[in-house]
């Protein structure tokens, strides 16, 4: 294994760890009197400010890209769907749901993508993909209806909504390569996402609140501003390390490595929040992860059997934070039809 591959693996592991750490920090803030919308707004806005200088550096000599409406649309879509939609829905779900369970529900996004591409492209998935879908659905049943566990229906729907937002982003990103660098896309997207979250938070259905009371991360006391700074840093770290790591090892390997975010989240939630899934939920989580792996292998084999009808191969779908994305369609025409292009 060469140095670039090792560096890429380390970066993806760091990204998974950073993203897994964010939700427990947010949940500690909820217990201290903060509402999820305020936490997400400050988290997204703070991440945008942290990435502002890297964003401007990355855009040097590339500002002409914004002369096209396509660029504006990509940035706005990323900000509203992949930043505001995913983070707001996920962080609202963990208000009444264990972090690990919410994350497992969000990992149904690859399953949604497979079903959507199948319906739109009319290309039958491989047998391994069907096995993976069956395992994933069986695992989801364990997670949603385990004996002795208490689940909040609204929070379950919010976590599944976060999965839908992630699936929509990946399908949209299959249309073409983003016209701006990854760091710049994340940086601009954070400001768009902050605006969207801010509108919902401060013009939404419920009153928002924050406090300056001290809180505790496990056994470590922290102030409110330290908690905000920490959640902003881990968010920026998750996005930036993923952006570089995926380039080094590719989307396929990165998507498998990213599955380690689930055990990371279980360990961090156990240390910080004393949350552990019940036995049935743990079994369901393992089945769901196994299903995602089978889906990934099955789609890779399907892609290898397909005939490439264009001299220019379609770029594989990118991977963001904690989701494994199936490489469902390799031909240009099939990919365009799958996303409605």
């Amino acid at each position: 294994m060469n140095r670039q591959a090792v560096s890429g693996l380390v970066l993806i592991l760091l990204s998974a760890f950073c993203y897994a750490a964010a939700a427990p920090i947010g949940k500690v803030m909820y217990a201290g009197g903060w509402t999820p919308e305020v936490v997400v707004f400050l988290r997204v806005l703070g991440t945008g400010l942290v990435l502002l200088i890297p964003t401007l550096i990355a855009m040097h000599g590339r500002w002409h890209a914004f002369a096209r409406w396509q660029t504006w649309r990509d940035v706005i879509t990323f900000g509203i769907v992949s930043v505001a939609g995913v983070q707001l829905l996920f962080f609202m779900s963990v208000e009444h749901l264990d972090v690990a369970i919410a994350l497992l529900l969000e990992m149904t996004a690859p399953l949604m993508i497979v079903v959507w591409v199948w319906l739109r492209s009319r290309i039958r998935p491989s047998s391994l993909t069907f096995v993976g879908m069956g395992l994933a659905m069986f695992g989801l049943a364990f997670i949603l209806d385990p004996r002795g566990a208490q689940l909040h229906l609204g929070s379950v729907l919010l976590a599944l909504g976060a999965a839908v937002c992630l699936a929509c982003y990946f399908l949209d990103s299959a249309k073409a390569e983003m016209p701006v660098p990854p760091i710049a896309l994340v940086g601009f997207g954070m400001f768009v996402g902050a605006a969207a979250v801010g509108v919902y938070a401060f013009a939404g259905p419920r009153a928002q609140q924050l406090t300056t009371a001290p809180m505790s991360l496990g056994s470590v006391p922290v102030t409110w501003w330290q908690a905000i700074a920490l959640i902003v840093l881990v968010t920026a770290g998750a996005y930036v390390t993923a952006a570089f790591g995926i380039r080094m090892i590719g989307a396929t390997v990165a998507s498998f490595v990213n599955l380690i975010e689930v055990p990371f989240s279980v360990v961090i939630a156990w240390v910080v929040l004393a949350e552990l899934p019940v036995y049935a939920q743990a079994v369901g989580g393992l089945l769901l992860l196994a299903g995602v792996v089978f889906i990934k292998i099955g789609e890779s084999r399907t892609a290898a059997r397909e005939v490439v009808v264009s001299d220019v191969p379609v770029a594989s779908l990118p991977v963001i934070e904690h989701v494994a994305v199936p490489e469902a369609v390799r031909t240009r025409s099939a990919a365009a039809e799958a996303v409605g292009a």
Side-chain angles (χ1 to χ4, degrees):
M1 185 179 295
N2 58 39
R3 179 177 298 181
Q4 177 174 311
V6 172
S7 299
L9 287 172
V10 171
L11 288 173
I12 295 300
L13 289 172
L14 286 175
S15 176
F17 179 83
C18 287
Y19 199 86
I25 298 171
K27 197 161 185 177
V28 166
M29 297 177 72
Y30 304 161
W34 294 65
T35 47
E37 294 89 339
V38 174
V39 174
V40 174
F41 173 73
L42 293 177
R43 178 193 186 198
V44 173
L45 179 61
T47 302
L49 293 173
V50 168
L51 297 179
L52 179 58
I53 293 179
T55 294
L56 296 177
I57 294 173
M59 286 301 297
H60 180 67
R62 301 184 181 182
W63 290 102
H64 61 274
F66 281 98
R68 302 168 52 203
W69 164 243
Q70 177 70 34
T71 303
W72 290 96
R73 187 177 68 177
D74 289 339
V75 171
I76 292 172
T77 300
F78 182 88
I80 293 177
V81 176
S82 299
V83 176
V86 174
Q87 295 197 32
L88 184 60
L89 292 174
F90 180 78
F91 270 72
M92 290 175 66
S93 73
V94 299
E95 186 178 14
H96 300 292
L97 203 64
D98 285 358
V99 171
I101 302 305
L103 181 59
L104 286 168
L105 292 174
E106 194 178 18
M107 278 202 165
T108 58
L111 180 62
M112 297 177 185
I113 294 173
V114 170
V115 174
W116 175 255
V117 170
W118 182 16
L119 294 175
R120 296 288 292 180
S121 67
R122 299 178 183 177
I123 297 176
R124 181 185 178 277
S126 69
S127 299
L128 283 178
T129 299
F130 282 114
V131 171
M133 293 170 66
L135 286 174
M137 294 304 297
F138 195 49
L140 186 61
F142 270 83
I143 295 170
L144 294 179
D145 190 27
R147 295 181 180 180
Q150 298 292 328
L151 291 180
H152 189 276
L153 178 60
S155 295
V156 169
L157 295 177
L158 288 171
L160 292 175
V164 171
C165 286
L166 279 169
C168 289
Y169 166 72
F170 288 123
L171 286 172
D172 185 65
S173 69
K175 293 179 181 178
E177 279 192 30
M178 293 294 178
V180 295
I183 295 297
L185 178 66
V186 172
F188 290 131
M190 288 295 167
F191 288 111
V192 174
V197 174
V199 169
Y200 175 81
F202 301 109
R206 68 172 175 175
Q208 304 302 318
Q209 66 181 36
L210 56 87
T211 69
T212 57
M215 55 196 76
S216 177
L217 293 175
S219 60
V220 180
V222 295
T223 62
W224 67 271
W225 64 266
Q226 288 174 329
I228 287 291
L230 188 57
I231 200 171
V232 165
L233 289 176
V234 296
T235 302
Y239 276 98
V240 172
T241 53
F244 286 101
I246 293 169
R247 283 190 170 189
M248 292 180 177
I249 64 175
T252 301
V253 177
S255 64
F256 279 107
V257 177
N258 193 63
L259 292 177
I260 202 170
E261 183 182 334
V262 174
F264 276 164
S265 70
V266 171
V267 173
I268 295 173
W270 175 44
V271 173
V272 176
L273 304 171
E275 288 183 354
L276 276 177
V278 299
Y279 176 76
Q281 289 174 322
V283 172
L286 292 175
L287 289 173
L288 179 57
L289 291 178
V292 171
V293 171
F294 272 98
I295 289 172
K296 187 68 179 179
I297 296 174
E299 290 307 306
S300 297
R301 291 189 176 182
T302 299
R305 290 196 303 267
E306 291 174 0
V307 178
V308 179
V309 298
S310 172
D311 292 333
V312 182
V314 175
S316 60
L317 298 180
V319 179
I320 303 294
E321 301 184 6
H322 54 279
V323 178
V325 182
E327 296 172 28
V329 183
R330 299 293 290 185
T331 66
R332 181 178 297 277
S333 58
E337 183 181 0
V339 297

Coordinates of all heavy atoms in Angstrom, one line a residue, residues 206-285:
R206 N -41.7 26.8 16.5 CA -41.5 26.8 18.0 C -40.4 27.8 18.4 O -39.6 28.1 17.6 CB -41.1 25.4 18.5 CG -39.7 24.9 18.0 CD -39.4 23.6 18.7 NE -38.1 23.0 18.3 CZ -37.6 21.9 18.8 NH1 -38.2 21.3 19.9 NH2 -36.5 21.4 18.4
A207 N -40.5 28.3 19.6 CA -39.6 29.2 20.1 C -38.2 28.6 20.3 O -38.1 27.5 20.7 CB -40.1 29.8 21.4
Q208 N -37.2 29.4 20.0 CA -35.8 28.9 20.1 C -35.2 29.4 21.4 O -35.5 30.5 21.9 CB -35.0 29.3 18.9 CG -35.5 28.9 17.6 CD -35.7 27.4 17.5 OE1 -34.9 26.6 17.9 NE2 -36.9 26.9 16.9
Q209 N -34.3 28.6 21.9 CA -33.6 29.1 23.2 C -32.2 28.6 23.2 O -31.8 27.5 22.7 CB -34.4 28.7 24.4 CG -34.4 27.2 24.6 CD -35.2 26.8 25.9 OE1 -36.2 27.4 26.2 NE2 -34.8 25.8 26.6
L210 N -31.3 29.3 23.9 CA -30.0 28.9 24.2 C -29.7 29.4 25.6 O -30.3 30.3 26.2 CB -29.0 29.4 23.2 CG -28.9 31.0 23.0 CD1 -28.0 31.6 24.0 CD2 -28.5 31.3 21.6
T211 N -28.7 28.8 26.3 CA -28.3 29.1 27.6 C -26.8 29.3 27.7 O -26.1 28.8 26.8 CB -28.8 28.1 28.7 OG1 -28.0 26.9 28.5 CG2 -30.3 27.8 28.5
T212 N -26.4 29.9 28.8 CA -25.0 30.0 29.0 C -24.5 29.2 30.2 O -23.4 29.3 30.7 CB -24.6 31.5 29.4 OG1 -25.4 31.9 30.5 CG2 -24.9 32.4 28.2
A213 N -25.4 28.2 30.6 CA -25.1 27.3 31.7 C -24.0 26.4 31.3 O -24.0 25.9 30.2 CB -26.4 26.6 32.1
P214 N -23.1 26.0 32.3 CA -22.1 25.0 32.0 C -22.7 23.6 31.7 O -23.8 23.4 32.2 CB -21.2 25.0 33.2 CG -22.1 25.5 34.3 CD -23.1 26.5 33.6
M215 N -22.0 22.8 31.0 CA -22.5 21.4 30.8 C -21.3 20.5 30.9 O -20.2 20.9 31.2 CB -23.1 21.4 29.4 CG -22.2 21.9 28.2 SD -23.1 22.2 26.7 CE -23.9 23.8 27.1
S216 N -21.6 19.2 30.7 CA -20.6 18.2 30.9 C -20.5 17.2 29.7 O -21.6 16.7 29.3 CB -20.8 17.5 32.2 OG -19.9 16.4 32.4
L217 N -19.4 17.0 29.1 CA -19.1 16.0 28.1 C -18.5 14.8 28.8 O -17.3 14.7 29.1 CB -18.2 16.5 27.0 CG -18.7 17.6 26.2 CD1 -17.6 18.1 25.2 CD2 -19.9 17.2 25.4
G218 N -19.4 13.8 29.2 CA -18.9 12.7 30.0 C -18.6 13.2 31.4 O -19.5 13.8 32.1
S219 N -17.4 13.2 31.8 CA -17.0 13.7 33.1 C -16.2 15.0 33.0 O -15.7 15.5 34.0 CB -16.1 12.6 33.8 OG -14.9 12.3 33.0
V220 N -16.2 15.6 31.8 CA -15.4 16.8 31.6 C -16.3 18.0 31.5 O -17.2 18.1 30.6 CB -14.6 16.7 30.2 CG1 -13.8 18.0 30.0 CG2 -13.7 15.5 30.3
P221 N -16.2 18.9 32.4 CA -17.1 20.1 32.4 C -16.6 21.1 31.3 O -15.4 21.3 31.1 CB -16.9 20.8 33.8 CG -15.5 20.3 34.2 CD -15.3 18.9 33.6
V222 N -17.6 21.7 30.5 CA -17.3 22.6 29.5 C -18.2 23.8 29.6 O -19.3 23.7 30.1 CB -17.3 22.0 28.1 CG1 -16.3 20.9 27.9 CG2 -18.7 21.4 27.8
T223 N -17.8 24.9 29.1 CA -18.7 26.1 29.0 C -19.5 26.0 27.7 O -19.2 25.2 26.8 CB -17.9 27.4 29.0 OG1 -17.0 27.4 27.8 CG2 -17.0 27.5 30.3
W224 N -20.5 26.9 27.5 CA -21.3 26.8 26.3 C -20.5 27.2 25.1 O -20.7 26.5 24.0 CB -22.5 27.8 26.5 CG -22.1 29.2 26.5 CD1 -21.8 30.0 27.6 CD2 -22.0 30.1 25.4 NE1 -21.5 31.3 27.3 CE2 -21.6 31.4 25.9 CE3 -22.2 30.0 24.0 CZ2 -21.4 32.5 25.1 CZ3 -22.0 31.0 23.2 CH2 -21.6 32.3 23.7
W225 N -19.6 28.1 25.2 CA -18.9 28.5 24.0 C -17.8 27.5 23.6 O -17.5 27.3 22.5 CB -18.2 29.9 24.2 CG -17.1 30.0 25.3 CD1 -17.3 30.4 26.6 CD2 -15.8 29.7 25.1 NE1 -16.1 30.3 27.3 CE2 -15.1 29.9 26.4 CE3 -15.0 29.2 24.1 CZ2 -13.8 29.7 26.6 CZ3 -13.6 29.0 24.3 CH2 -13.0 29.2 25.6
Q226 N -17.3 26.7 24.6 CA -16.4 25.6 24.3 C -17.1 24.5 23.6 O -16.6 23.9 22.7 CB -15.8 25.1 25.6 CG -14.7 26.0 26.2 CD -14.2 25.5 27.6 OE1 -15.0 24.9 28.3 NE2 -13.0 25.8 27.9
A227 N -18.4 24.3 24.0 CA -19.2 23.2 23.3 C -19.4 23.6 21.8 O -19.3 22.8 20.9 CB -20.5 23.0 24.0
I228 N -19.8 24.9 21.6 CA -20.0 25.4 20.2 C -18.7 25.3 19.4 O -18.7 24.8 18.3 CB -20.5 26.9 20.2 CG1 -21.9 26.9 20.7 CG2 -20.4 27.5 18.9 CD1 -22.9 26.3 19.8
A229 N -17.6 25.7 20.0 CA -16.3 25.7 19.3 C -16.0 24.2 18.9 O -15.5 23.9 17.8 CB -15.2 26.3 20.1
L230 N -16.2 23.3 19.8 CA -15.9 21.9 19.6 C -16.7 21.3 18.5 O -16.2 20.6 17.6 CB -16.1 21.1 20.9 CG -15.6 19.7 20.9 CD1 -14.1 19.6 20.5 CD2 -15.8 19.0 22.2
I231 N -18.0 21.6 18.5 CA -18.9 21.0 17.5 C -18.6 21.6 16.1 O -18.7 21.0 15.1 CB -20.4 21.2 17.9 CG1 -21.3 20.2 17.1 CG2 -20.9 22.6 17.6 CD1 -22.7 20.1 17.6
V232 N -18.2 22.9 16.1 CA -17.8 23.5 14.8 C -16.5 22.9 14.3 O -16.4 22.6 13.1 CB -17.6 25.0 15.0 CG1 -16.9 25.7 13.8 CG2 -19.0 25.7 15.1
L233 N -15.6 22.7 15.1 CA -14.3 22.1 14.7 C -14.4 20.7 14.2 O -13.8 20.3 13.2 CB -13.3 22.2 15.8 CG -12.8 23.6 16.2 CD1 -11.8 23.5 17.4 CD2 -12.0 24.2 15.0
V234 N -15.2 19.9 14.9 CA -15.4 18.5 14.4 C -16.2 18.4 13.1 O -15.9 17.6 12.2 CB -16.1 17.6 15.5 CG1 -15.2 17.5 16.7 CG2 -17.4 18.1 15.8
T235 N -17.1 19.4 12.9 CA -17.8 19.4 11.6 C -16.9 19.8 10.5 O -16.9 19.2 9.4 CB -19.0 20.4 11.7 OG1 -19.9 20.1 12.8 CG2 -19.8 20.5 10.4
A236 N -16.2 20.9 10.7 CA -15.2 21.3 9.7 C -14.2 20.2 9.4 O -13.9 19.9 8.2 CB -14.5 22.6 10.1
G237 N -13.7 19.6 10.4 CA -12.8 18.5 10.2 C -13.4 17.3 9.4 O -12.7 16.7 8.6
A238 N -14.7 17.0 9.7 CA -15.3 15.9 9.0 C -15.4 16.2 7.5 O -15.1 15.3 6.7 CB -16.7 15.6 9.6
Y239 N -15.8 17.4 7.2 CA -16.0 17.7 5.7 C -14.7 17.8 5.0 O -14.5 17.3 3.9 CB -16.8 19.0 5.6 CG -18.3 18.8 5.7 CD1 -19.0 19.1 6.8 CD2 -19.0 18.4 4.5 CE1 -20.3 18.9 6.9 CE2 -20.4 18.3 4.6 CZ -21.0 18.5 5.8 OH -22.4 18.4 5.9
V240 N -13.7 18.5 5.6 CA -12.4 18.7 4.9 C -11.6 17.4 4.8 O -11.1 17.1 3.7 CB -11.6 19.7 5.7 CG1 -10.2 19.8 5.1 CG2 -12.3 21.1 5.7
T241 N -11.5 16.6 5.8 CA -10.8 15.3 5.7 C -11.5 14.4 4.7 O -10.8 13.7 4.0 CB -10.7 14.6 7.1 OG1 -12.0 14.5 7.7 CG2 -9.8 15.4 8.0
A242 N -12.8 14.4 4.6 CA -13.5 13.6 3.7 C -13.2 14.0 2.2 O -13.0 13.2 1.3 CB -15.0 13.6 3.9
A243 N -13.2 15.4 2.0 CA -12.9 15.9 0.7 C -11.6 15.5 0.2 O -11.5 15.1 -1.0 CB -13.0 17.4 0.7
F244 N -10.6 15.5 1.0 CA -9.2 15.1 0.5 C -9.0 13.6 0.5 O -8.4 13.0 -0.4 CB -8.2 15.8 1.4 CG -8.0 17.2 1.2 CD1 -8.5 18.2 2.0 CD2 -7.2 17.7 0.1 CE1 -8.4 19.5 1.8 CE2 -7.1 19.0 -0.2 CZ -7.6 20.0 0.7
G245 N -9.6 12.9 1.5 CA -9.4 11.5 1.6 C -10.1 10.7 0.4 O -9.5 9.8 -0.1
I246 N -11.3 11.2 0.0 CA -11.9 10.5 -1.1 C -11.1 10.7 -2.4 O -11.0 9.7 -3.2 CB -13.3 11.1 -1.3 CG1 -14.2 10.7 -0.1 CG2 -14.0 10.6 -2.6 CD1 -15.5 11.4 0.0
R247 N -10.5 11.8 -2.6 CA -9.7 12.0 -3.7 C -8.5 11.1 -3.8 O -8.0 10.7 -4.8 CB -9.2 13.5 -3.8 CG -10.2 14.5 -4.3 CD -9.6 15.8 -4.5 NE -10.5 16.7 -5.2 CZ -10.2 17.9 -5.7 NH1 -8.9 18.3 -5.5 NH2 -11.0 18.7 -6.3
M248 N -8.0 10.7 -2.6 CA -6.8 9.9 -2.5 C -7.1 8.4 -2.7 O -6.3 7.7 -3.3 CB -6.1 10.1 -1.2 CG -5.5 11.4 -1.0 SD -4.7 11.6 0.7 CE -4.0 13.2 0.6
I249 N -8.2 7.9 -2.2 CA -8.5 6.5 -2.3 C -9.7 6.1 -3.1 O -10.0 5.0 -3.3 CB -8.6 5.9 -0.9 CG1 -9.8 6.4 -0.1 CG2 -7.3 6.0 -0.1 CD1 -10.0 5.8 1.2
G250 N -10.4 7.2 -3.6 CA -11.6 6.9 -4.4 C -12.9 6.7 -3.6 O -12.8 6.3 -2.4
A251 N -14.0 6.9 -4.2 CA -15.3 6.8 -3.6 C -15.6 5.4 -3.1 O -16.2 5.2 -2.0 CB -16.4 7.3 -4.5
T252 N -15.2 4.3 -3.8 CA -15.6 3.0 -3.5 C -14.9 2.5 -2.2 O -15.6 2.1 -1.2 CB -15.2 2.0 -4.6 OG1 -15.8 2.4 -5.8 CG2 -15.5 0.6 -4.2
V253 N -13.6 2.7 -2.1 CA -12.9 2.3 -0.8 C -13.4 3.2 0.3 O -13.6 2.7 1.4 CB -11.4 2.4 -1.0 CG1 -10.7 2.1 0.3 CG2 -10.9 1.4 -2.1
A254 N -13.5 4.5 0.1 CA -13.9 5.4 1.1 C -15.2 5.1 1.7 O -15.5 5.2 2.9 CB -13.9 6.8 0.6
S255 N -16.2 4.6 0.8 CA -17.5 4.3 1.3 C -17.5 3.1 2.3 O -18.3 3.1 3.2 CB -18.4 4.0 0.1 OG -18.0 2.9 -0.6
F256 N -16.6 2.1 2.0 CA -16.5 1.0 2.9 C -15.9 1.4 4.2 O -16.3 1.1 5.3 CB -15.7 -0.1 2.3 CG -16.4 -1.0 1.3 CD1 -16.2 -0.9 0.0 CD2 -17.3 -1.9 1.8 CE1 -16.9 -1.7 -0.9 CE2 -18.1 -2.7 0.9 CZ -17.8 -2.6 -0.4
V257 N -14.8 2.2 4.1 CA -14.1 2.7 5.3 C -15.0 3.5 6.2 O -15.0 3.5 7.4 CB -12.8 3.4 5.0 CG1 -12.1 4.0 6.2 CG2 -11.9 2.6 4.2
N258 N -15.9 4.3 5.5 CA -16.8 5.2 6.3 C -17.8 4.5 7.2 O -18.4 5.1 8.1 CB -17.5 6.1 5.3 CG -18.2 7.3 5.9 OD1 -17.6 8.1 6.5 ND2 -19.5 7.3 5.9
L259 N -18.0 3.2 6.9 CA -19.0 2.4 7.8 C -18.5 2.4 9.2 O -19.3 2.1 10.1 CB -19.1 1.0 7.2 CG -19.8 0.9 5.9 CD1 -19.9 -0.6 5.4 CD2 -21.3 1.5 5.9
I260 N -17.2 2.6 9.4 CA -16.7 2.6 10.8 C -17.3 3.7 11.6 O -17.1 3.7 12.9 CB -15.2 2.6 10.8 CG1 -14.6 2.0 12.1 CG2 -14.7 4.1 10.6 CD1 -13.1 1.8 12.1
E261 N -18.0 4.7 11.0 CA -18.6 5.7 11.8 C -19.6 5.2 12.8 O -19.8 5.8 13.8 CB -19.3 6.7 10.8 CG -19.9 7.9 11.6 CD -20.6 8.8 10.6 OE1 -20.2 8.9 9.4 OE2 -21.5 9.5 11.1
V262 N -20.3 4.1 12.4 CA -21.3 3.5 13.3 C -20.7 3.1 14.6 O -21.2 3.5 15.7 CB -22.1 2.4 12.6 CG1 -23.1 1.8 13.6 CG2 -22.9 3.0 11.4
P263 N -19.7 2.2 14.6 CA -19.1 1.8 15.9 C -18.5 3.0 16.6 O -18.5 3.1 17.9 CB -18.0 0.8 15.6 CG -17.8 0.9 14.1 CD -19.1 1.4 13.5
F264 N -17.9 4.0 15.9 CA -17.4 5.2 16.5 C -18.5 5.9 17.3 O -18.3 6.4 18.4 CB -16.9 6.2 15.4 CG -15.4 5.9 15.0 CD1 -14.9 6.4 13.9 CD2 -14.6 5.1 15.8 CE1 -13.6 6.2 13.5 CE2 -13.3 4.8 15.4 CZ -12.8 5.3 14.2
S265 N -19.7 6.0 16.6 CA -20.8 6.8 17.3 C -21.3 6.0 18.5 O -21.7 6.6 19.5 CB -22.0 6.9 16.3 OG -22.6 5.7 16.0
V266 N -21.3 4.7 18.4 CA -21.7 3.9 19.6 C -20.8 4.1 20.8 O -21.2 4.4 21.9 CB -21.8 2.4 19.3 CG1 -22.0 1.6 20.5 CG2 -22.9 2.1 18.2
V267 N -19.5 4.1 20.5 CA -18.5 4.3 21.6 C -18.6 5.7 22.2 O -18.6 5.9 23.4 CB -17.1 4.0 21.1 CG1 -16.0 4.3 22.1 CG2 -16.9 2.5 20.7
I268 N -18.6 6.7 21.3 CA -18.6 8.1 21.8 C -19.9 8.4 22.5 O -19.9 9.0 23.6 CB -18.5 9.1 20.6 CG1 -17.1 8.9 19.9 CG2 -18.6 10.5 21.0 CD1 -16.9 9.7 18.7
A269 N -21.1 7.9 22.0 CA -22.3 8.1 22.7 C -22.3 7.4 24.1 O -22.9 7.9 25.1 CB -23.5 7.6 21.9
W270 N -21.7 6.3 24.2 CA -21.6 5.5 25.4 C -20.7 6.3 26.4 O -21.1 6.5 27.6 CB -20.9 4.2 25.2 CG -20.7 3.4 26.4 CD1 -21.5 3.2 27.5 CD2 -19.5 2.6 26.7 NE1 -20.9 2.4 28.4 CE2 -19.7 2.0 28.0 CE3 -18.3 2.4 26.0 CZ2 -18.7 1.2 28.6 CZ3 -17.3 1.6 26.6 CH2 -17.5 1.0 27.9
V271 N -19.6 6.9 26.0 CA -18.7 7.6 26.9 C -19.4 8.9 27.3 O -19.3 9.3 28.5 CB -17.4 7.9 26.2 CG1 -16.5 8.8 27.1 CG2 -16.6 6.5 26.0
V272 N -19.9 9.7 26.4 CA -20.4 11.0 26.6 C -21.9 11.0 27.2 O -22.2 11.8 28.1 CB -20.4 11.9 25.3 CG1 -21.0 13.2 25.6 CG2 -19.0 12.0 24.8
L273 N -22.7 10.1 26.7 CA -24.1 10.1 27.1 C -24.6 8.9 27.8 O -25.8 8.8 28.2 CB -25.0 10.3 25.8 CG -24.7 11.5 24.9 CD1 -25.4 11.4 23.6 CD2 -25.0 12.8 25.6
A274 N -23.7 7.9 28.0 CA -24.1 6.6 28.6 C -25.2 6.0 27.8 O -26.1 5.3 28.4 CB -24.5 6.8 30.1
E275 N -25.2 6.1 26.5 CA -26.2 5.5 25.6 C -25.7 4.2 25.0 O -24.6 4.3 24.4 CB -26.7 6.4 24.5 CG -27.5 7.6 24.9 CD -27.9 8.4 23.7 OE1 -27.5 8.2 22.6 OE2 -28.7 9.4 23.9
L276 N -26.4 3.1 25.1 CA -26.0 1.9 24.4 C -27.3 1.3 23.8 O -28.3 1.3 24.5 CB -25.4 0.9 25.3 CG -23.9 1.1 25.6 CD1 -23.4 0.0 26.6 CD2 -23.1 0.9 24.3
P277 N -27.3 0.9 22.5 CA -28.5 0.3 22.0 C -28.7 -1.1 22.7 O -27.8 -1.7 23.2 CB -28.1 0.0 20.5 CG -26.6 0.1 20.5 CD -26.2 1.0 21.6
V278 N -30.0 -1.4 22.7 CA -30.4 -2.7 23.3 C -29.9 -3.8 22.4 O -29.5 -3.6 21.2 CB -31.9 -2.8 23.5 CG1 -32.4 -1.8 24.5 CG2 -32.7 -2.7 22.2
Y279 N -29.9 -5.1 22.9 CA -29.4 -6.2 22.1 C -30.0 -6.3 20.7 O -29.3 -6.5 19.7 CB -29.6 -7.5 22.9 CG -29.1 -8.7 22.2 CD1 -27.8 -9.0 22.1 CD2 -30.0 -9.6 21.5 CE1 -27.3 -10.2 21.4 CE2 -29.6 -10.7 20.9 CZ -28.3 -11.0 20.8 OH -27.8 -12.1 20.1
A280 N -31.3 -6.2 20.6 CA -32.0 -6.4 19.3 C -31.6 -5.3 18.4 O -31.4 -5.5 17.2 CB -33.5 -6.4 19.5
Q281 N -31.4 -4.1 18.9 CA -31.0 -3.0 18.0 C -29.6 -3.1 17.5 O -29.3 -2.8 16.4 CB -31.2 -1.6 18.8 CG -32.6 -1.2 19.0 CD -32.7 0.0 19.9 OE1 -32.0 0.2 20.8 NE2 -33.7 0.9 19.5
A282 N -28.7 -3.7 18.4 CA -27.4 -3.9 18.0 C -27.3 -5.0 16.8 O -26.6 -4.8 15.8 CB -26.5 -4.4 19.2
V283 N -28.1 -6.0 17.0 CA -28.2 -7.0 15.9 C -28.8 -6.4 14.6 O -28.2 -6.6 13.5 CB -29.1 -8.2 16.4 CG1 -29.4 -9.2 15.2 CG2 -28.5 -8.9 17.5
G284 N -29.8 -5.6 14.8 CA -30.3 -4.9 13.6 C -29.3 -4.0 12.9 O -29.3 -3.9 11.7
G285 N -28.5 -3.3 13.7 CA -27.5 -2.5 13.1 C -26.5 -3.2 12.4 O -26.1 -2.8 11.3

